[in-house]
Amino acid sequence: MNQKILKLENLLRFHALCRQLHCLGQRRTLAQWRHVFSSAYPVWTAQLYARPWQTDVFIGAALSQYRLLVTKKEERSRKSQLSSTKSRKEVEVWIGITVEELARAMEKDIDYVYEALMNTAIDIDSLEADSHLDEIWIKEVIKKAGLKLKWSKLKQDKVRENKDAVRRPQADPALLTPRSPVVTIMGHVDHGKTTLLDKLRKTQVAAMEAGGITQHIGAFLVSLPSGEKITFLDTPGHAAFSAMRARGAQVTDIVILVVAADDGVMKQTVESIQHAKDAQVPIILAINKCDKAEVDPEKVKKELLAYDVVCEDYGGDVQVVHVSALTGDNLMALAEATIALAEMLELKADPNGPVEGTVIESFTDKGRGPVTTAIIQRGTLRKGSILVAGKSWAKVRLMFDENGKTINEASPSMPVGIIGWRDLPSAGDEILEVESEPRAREVVDWRKYEQQQEKNKEDLKMIEEKRREHQEAHRKAREKYGTLNWKERSFIKYQEKREQPLKPKEKREGDSHILPIIIKGDVDGSVETILNIMDTYDASHECELELVHFGVGDITETDVNLAETFHGVIYGFNVNAGNVIQQSAAKKGVKIKLHKIIYRLIEDLQEELSSRLPCTVEEHPIGEASILATFSVAEGKKKVPVAGCRVQKGQLEKQKKFKLIRNGHVIWKGSLTSLKHHKDDISVIKTGMDCGLSLDEEKIEFKVGDAIICYEEKEVLAKTSWDPGF
């Protein structure tokens, strides 16, 4: 408005100035005639003078009227803008809002959000209903909807009250009562751990193990003739079960380290020592297989010095017992040493109040549902107790001991099987007793909420990283194409797209370089072990290993359908697949591979990976000849170079492939056009015979001393480079 008024004022003042100049000119002319007309015509002379104040009044009035009109017009437009702004609806959004939440906040359909984001830099195909949106895309959608944006911190700042269950404070020492020690037997594979425990329990545990190798933790209560009780955990010694050994060390009071006198300290022996040290648990050394001739237990003691395990014989505090698990020699001495160490540790627990414990193992029983093996650490577990472990809860319907006998209560240090879980908890989860089922559900809901919050934080972090990468790529692309016209840009982008590899979605169905697998195990710990081994897979450049699904329990129709969809293989460990399931799998072309021993399963997986790799071609030499002379033979109007050769090794076969070697380098590879002995065409030349031959490439020149190699190509199955470490 001010600029318009200023222009008008300048224009009016210029007009007034012109009129004033015109008046001045008239004054000069009249001044010359004033003395003539002044006396005779006084009134007429006065009217000749202009009055400048009348012009100023006119200008002022015009300007004031114009200002009034412009001001009223601007006020009307401002009011209309304010009214339109007030009419726009406010939409409350927050950082990290999902597509579905934004549509709900706008009271629109999800498709509206997708339509608003079309023709933008965001990848619409990758957007799901629960995908988080960046700030720039939130603003874009709100702008296109004609709505008003309002940022809210409510979604971020809203904090739910912590409803988790926690361990209760330590009890008064006066209320604690003595408890049995929890002892973990550790050591290298096949050093006699299970046989040793079998002798103590007087059962046939080892006979039940596949190949005599412990596949998962077994918890057993052993009653000695003296009346004392010891809870033993038998951990696997195989290299694959490192996580289980670590878990066994965390819930134990004493570690019995079994070392075979004939083998000495091995890899898993060292690992077991480290687990015991990490858990700050005392060690008792049991040197096994001492009944064998020519074994030296002292050698074992000396080897252990390198790992800071100093026996009492060498001035340390580690008790040593020479035993024979096979014959049962000195087993009572080992038990007495364990009880003596337990008395020194003064192990006590509170048998009253809510139960606290640890899940040792979990599995799904076909008739009983989810089952856990647990060690009770505090309180007394009874039928009907409400327990929480991880993101699962249970109302105890049944309890049983290691022999399958039903029991009514379980006190501290006692291993117990628990039935009544709603879902299967994970091995290593902490067990806590709560007062009621609603409270148990509340705890589980809180833990699931917490897990979801952590996942959301990770997702937002990943989204932010992707956004930065996208912005950086967009900036570089703009710099790259900034000086080009649209035709040049389009041509370069087309060339780049042709050179790019196919995206996973664009790969053809049933790609042979991808192996999708489904893992099913008998217990949670077995599945955990297999997944840990798969984490070591480092040959994705050869064949991609894709884990589609894993779980505990027998193979089901759902697993078969999933394997059919992804063209995958089902691996089962210590589980069953019924006849109906196997027939269904055979009809759908799905492989089901069942194993009882862990390393057999891994070997099978390696073979399956190798079968997905392209075969390698190997050259197998059949014969070798040396060139003694070179000459040319006329064939029509052209001359063909011919080499006179003598076969040094094997034989030359015309139908096979040949290569020309000069000074150790391959000059040519291909086929022969002719092979002659004297003047006869032949197909085979044997050792010691002379021949003439010509190649399928005429430009190759022979030289005396060159070597001709006859060979055949054979396809050899490739083998994966993945080494799981055992």
Side-chain angles (χ1 to χ4, degrees):
M1 183 189 77
N2 294 334
Q3 288 182 353
K4 291 178 181 179
I5 292 173
L6 186 62
K7 286 181 181 178
L8 182 61
E9 286 179 346
N10 291 337
L11 185 62
L12 292 172
R13 282 172 182 164
F14 177 73
H15 179 68
L17 184 61
C18 290
R19 290 192 60 173
Q20 286 177 1
L21 288 172
H22 180 68
C23 290
L24 286 173
Q26 284 182 338
R27 283 177 187 175
R28 286 178 183 174
T29 306
L30 290 172
Q32 296 174 4
W33 299 93
R34 184 176 179 183
H35 63 282
V36 177
F37 295 101
S38 58
S39 58
Y41 308 98
V43 177
W44 180 80
T45 305
Q47 290 177 348
L48 288 175
Y49 292 96
R51 296 181 181 178
W53 64 268
Q54 292 177 345
T55 304
D56 292 340
V57 170
F58 170 74
I59 292 171
L63 287 175
S64 63
Q65 288 295 323
Y66 184 77
R67 282 196 188 97
L68 182 62
L69 289 171
V70 172
T71 304
K72 285 182 178 180
K73 188 177 179 181
E74 287 195 352
E75 282 179 356
R76 281 198 300 271
S77 63
R78 195 181 298 114
K79 283 179 182 177
S80 64
Q81 286 178 1
L82 285 170
S83 61
S84 64
T85 305
K86 286 179 182 178
S87 65
R88 283 197 301 169
K89 181 186 172 184
E90 278 190 345
V91 178
E92 195 172 278
V93 296
W94 54 89
I95 298 294
I97 193 172
T98 64
V99 175
E100 187 178 11
E101 289 170 339
L102 180 58
R104 198 182 304 123
M106 294 167 59
E107 297 179 357
K108 303 276 187 183
D109 195 344
I110 290 180
D111 292 337
Y112 183 87
V113 179
Y114 290 137
E115 288 173 10
L117 291 172
M118 286 179 69
N119 301 320
T120 61
I122 196 168
D123 184 7
I124 299 291
D125 295 333
S126 65
L127 274 184
E128 302 291 342
D130 58 349
S131 299
H132 297 277
L133 293 172
D134 287 347
E135 183 180 336
I136 184 173
W137 307 125
I138 297 169
K139 289 180 178 178
E140 183 71 20
V141 174
I142 299 293
K143 182 181 176 183
K144 287 185 177 179
L147 301 172
K148 190 175 179 181
L149 183 68
K150 181 183 177 183
W151 290 106
S152 169
K153 294 186 178 180
L154 183 64
K155 190 75 177 180
Q156 292 177 306
D157 298 342
K158 187 177 178 181
V159 178
R160 278 178 62 173
E161 185 183 353
N162 191 333
K163 298 289 185 179
D164 203 2
V166 294
R167 285 179 177 265
R168 53 196 167 101
Q170 292 295 327
D172 186 352
L175 301 175
L176 302 181
T177 58
R179 63 173 178 84
S180 304
V182 179
V183 179
T184 299
I185 297 180
M186 289 189 175
H188 192 72
V189 64
D190 201 29
H191 273 201
K193 302 182 304 301
T194 304
T195 309
L196 182 86
L197 192 59
D198 176 45
K199 282 292 180 182
L200 289 167
R201 297 177 64 235
K202 296 182 180 177
T203 59
Q204 292 299 317
V205 177
M208 294 169 64
E209 296 286 1
I213 297 174
T214 306
Q215 305 289 329
H216 48 78
I217 290 178
F220 313 103
L221 186 66
V222 176
S223 298
L224 303 178
S226 58
E228 286 92 352
K229 293 182 178 181
I230 304 174
T231 297
F232 282 98
L233 300 182
D234 183 18
T235 62
H238 195 271
F241 297 94
S242 174
M244 290 193 184
R245 285 192 293 276
R247 186 161 61 245
Q250 292 297 328
V251 297
T252 195
D253 302 310
I254 299 168
V255 167
I256 294 180
L257 183 65
V258 179
V259 184
D262 54 348
D263 274 355
V265 177
M266 304 294 284
K267 184 178 179 181
Q268 272 72 58
T269 310
V270 177
E271 191 186 76
S272 299
I273 293 168
Q274 191 58 49
H275 287 322
K277 286 182 177 178
D278 291 344
Q280 298 181 346
V281 177
I283 294 173
I284 294 175
L285 177 62
I287 302 178
N288 194 21
K289 303 184 182 181
C290 289
D291 56 319
K292 285 189 174 183
E294 299 178 359
V295 295
D296 184 12
E298 294 299 319
K299 180 187 173 186
V300 175
K301 296 177 188 177
K302 290 175 182 176
E303 288 178 351
L304 287 170
L305 290 172
Y307 304 100
D308 201 24
V309 178
V310 185
C311 304
E312 289 178 334
D313 298 351
Y314 294 94
D317 56 358
V318 177
Q319 298 181 74
V320 182
V321 183
H322 297 181
V323 297
S324 171
L326 198 62
T327 62
D329 292 344
N330 264 354
L331 291 189
M332 289 312 300
L334 179 62
E336 288 168 4
T338 304
I339 294 295
L341 182 55
E343 288 176 356
M344 291 174 60
L345 294 173
E346 296 183 349
L347 301 172
K348 292 183 179 182
D350 179 13
N352 304 311
V355 171
E356 296 175 7
T358 301
V359 176
I360 298 300
E361 199 50 271
S362 60
F363 59 95
T364 301
D365 187 274
K366 196 168 185 179
R368 299 183 292 183
V371 181
T372 62
T373 302
I375 295 287
I376 305 303
Q377 295 167 313
R378 194 174 177 187
T380 302
L381 182 63
R382 295 181 178 86
K383 187 178 177 181
S385 298
I386 310 297
L387 305 178
V388 173
K391 288 177 283 298
S392 178
W393 67 277
K395 183 176 182 179
V396 180
R397 288 192 287 110
L398 187 69
M399 296 186 295
F400 56 91
D401 62 13
E402 71 277 6
N403 298 314
K405 184 181 176 183
T406 303
I407 56 176
N408 295 320
E409 62 178 34
S411 54
S413 295
M414 190 173 175
V416 60
I418 303 170
I419 297 174
W421 294 96
R422 296 301 188 270
D423 298 298
L424 193 68
S426 299
D429 281 348
E430 181 184 61
I431 295 175
L432 296 174
E433 184 180 359
V434 293
E435 57 271 16
S436 63
E437 290 186 25
R439 172 62 179 143
R441 292 191 190 95
E442 187 179 56
V443 172
V444 170
D445 288 344
W446 165 258
R447 291 179 177 180
K448 288 179 179 177
Y449 166 76
E450 238 183 353
Q451 185 185 39
Q452 186 61 42
Q453 291 298 102
E454 288 298 320
K455 183 180 179 296
N456 289 345
K457 286 180 184 177
E458 291 296 322
D459 289 347
L460 283 173
K461 187 177 178 183
M462 194 176 296
I463 288 169
E464 185 62 25
E465 288 175 0
K466 291 288 183 185
R467 187 181 66 81
R468 285 187 193 136
E469 288 175 9
H470 177 76
Q471 285 181 340
E472 183 64 22
H474 182 64
R475 185 186 63 79
K476 288 180 179 178
R478 288 190 65 181
E479 290 176 358
K480 183 177 180 181
Y481 304 128
T483 58
L484 305 176
N485 60 43
W486 68 271
K487 287 184 179 179
E488 292 170 331
R489 283 199 302 271
S490 300
F491 178 73
I492 292 173
K493 285 179 180 178
Y494 171 73
Q495 293 290 341
E496 288 175 349
K497 192 173 182 180
R498 286 186 62 185
E499 292 171 5
Q500 284 177 354
L502 291 175
K503 293 180 180 179
K505 289 183 181 177
E506 297 169 347
K507 288 184 179 179
R508 70 182 186 275
E509 203 168 337
D511 196 328
S512 61
H513 296 298
I514 299 176
L515 175 59
I517 63 171
I518 294 170
I519 303 292
K520 294 300 287 286
D522 56 341
V523 295
D524 188 69
S526 301
V527 177
E528 176 194 23
T529 298
I530 296 168
L531 297 183
N532 286 342
I533 296 170
M534 286 179 58
D535 284 342
T536 67
Y537 185 70
D538 56 358
S540 296
H541 59 285
E542 298 172 348
C543 180
E544 189 176 340
L545 186 60
E546 197 174 75
L547 180 64
V548 176
H549 172 68
F550 62 89
V552 176
D554 290 341
I555 294 165
T556 63
E557 187 68 32
T558 305
D559 299 325
V560 175
N561 292 336
L562 204 57
E564 182 191 19
T565 304
F566 287 89
H567 307 283
V569 180
I570 301 173
Y571 285 90
F573 180 71
N574 270 340
V575 295
N576 297 317
N579 291 332
V580 176
I581 298 296
Q582 291 188 358
Q583 289 171 8
S584 174
K587 193 180 292 184
K588 294 175 180 178
V590 174
K591 294 181 185 176
I592 297 178
K593 301 191 175 186
L594 305 176
H595 294 275
K596 297 286 185 185
I597 301 176
I598 190 78
Y599 58 81
R600 297 290 185 206
L601 186 148
I602 301 304
E603 286 174 0
D604 194 326
L605 180 58
Q606 286 178 294
E607 289 174 8
E608 188 66 34
L609 284 164
S610 300
S611 70
R612 300 292 177 113
L613 302 180
C615 294
T616 56
V617 178
E618 290 185 356
E619 295 179 358
H620 293 270
I622 298 172
E624 181 180 341
S626 58
I627 296 177
L628 304 178
T630 62
F631 48 92
S632 298
V633 175
E635 287 186 1
K637 294 183 179 180
K638 62 179 180 179
K639 290 186 176 182
V640 178
V642 176
C645 307
R646 180 171 293 162
V647 181
Q648 305 292 341
K649 295 179 187 176
Q651 61 185 27
L652 304 186
E653 299 179 21
K654 186 180 178 182
Q655 302 303 321
K656 302 295 182 184
K657 293 190 174 183
F658 289 80
K659 56 184 176 182
L660 178 65
I661 308 294
R662 181 177 298 157
N663 299 325
H665 300 288
V666 178
I667 302 299
W668 162 88
K669 276 187 177 183
S671 304
L672 300 182
T673 54
S674 68
L675 179 64
K676 293 188 177 185
H677 179 61
H678 298 304
K679 292 185 178 181
D680 301 324
D681 287 321
I682 54 175
S683 58
V684 178
I685 296 286
K686 296 186 177 179
T687 305
M689 295 177 66
D690 294 336
C691 65
L693 54 85
S694 59
L695 312 180
D696 59 0
E697 192 172 336
E698 297 175 4
K699 294 181 181 179
I700 299 296
E701 294 183 2
F702 297 112
K703 288 187 178 180
V704 176
D706 289 352
I708 294 285
I709 307 294
C710 175
Y711 67 95
E712 63 179 349
E713 292 180 343
K714 289 184 179 179
E715 287 190 347
V716 180
L717 292 174
K719 190 175 181 182
T720 179
S721 61
W722 174 43
D723 181 13
F726 55 86

